[in-house]
């Protein structure tokens, strides 16, 4: 599949991706755990639709939206203009110690 993120449309990373759509993302185990990581590189599409839906899905999955602080934070994010970044993987590397 793909990796999807959301961000503001005028942030520096989006301006850079519009000039050069290559990107990578690394996910690593926290400090103190055995070393393991995953690295994905590929080309990125900047999509103008779906960012708020992605934001809402991720918030519902990782936050307690019954908590007023989190609900307010989500509402603030949804009030802002957002784009969806879609990484189409070309290379996937991993390391497990």
């Amino acid at each position: 599949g793909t990796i999807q993120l959301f961000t503001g449309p005028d942030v520096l990373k989006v301006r850079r991706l519009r000039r050069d759509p290559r990107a990578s993302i690394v996910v690593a185990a926290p400090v103190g755990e055995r070393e393991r990581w995953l690295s994905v590189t590929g080309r990125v599409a900047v999509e103008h639709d779906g960012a708020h839906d992605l934001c809402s899905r991720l918030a519902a999955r990782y936050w307690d939206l019954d908590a007023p602080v989190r609900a307010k934070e989500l509402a603030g994010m949804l009030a802002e203009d957002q784009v969806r970044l879609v990484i189409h993987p070309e290379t996937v590397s991993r390391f497990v110690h």
Side-chain angles (χ1 to χ4, degrees), residues 12-84:
L12 181 59
K13 66 182 151 198
V14 172
R15 291 193 307 267
R16 287 182 175 164
L17 286 168
R18 286 192 169 127
R19 284 192 307 264
D20 182 359
R22 296 173 298 158
S24 64
I25 187 167
V26 175
V27 180
V31 173
E33 289 189 13
R34 290 181 62 167
E35 184 178 1
R36 58 183 195 261
W37 53 263
L38 173 74
S39 170
V40 177
T41 61
R43 299 191 78 70
V44 178
V46 179
E47 302 288 342
H48 295 280
D49 66 331
H52 286 145
D53 290 336
L54 177 61
C55 179
S56 295
R57 285 196 327 263
L58 291 173
R61 182 174 182 166
Y62 293 105
W63 290 352
D64 175 6
L65 294 176
D66 291 329
V69 171
R70 290 297 193 183
K72 183 178 179 181
E73 192 169 349
L74 175 59
M77 294 166 81
L78 295 176
E80 297 174 355
D81 195 19
Q82 303 279 346
V83 294
R84 187 169 46 100

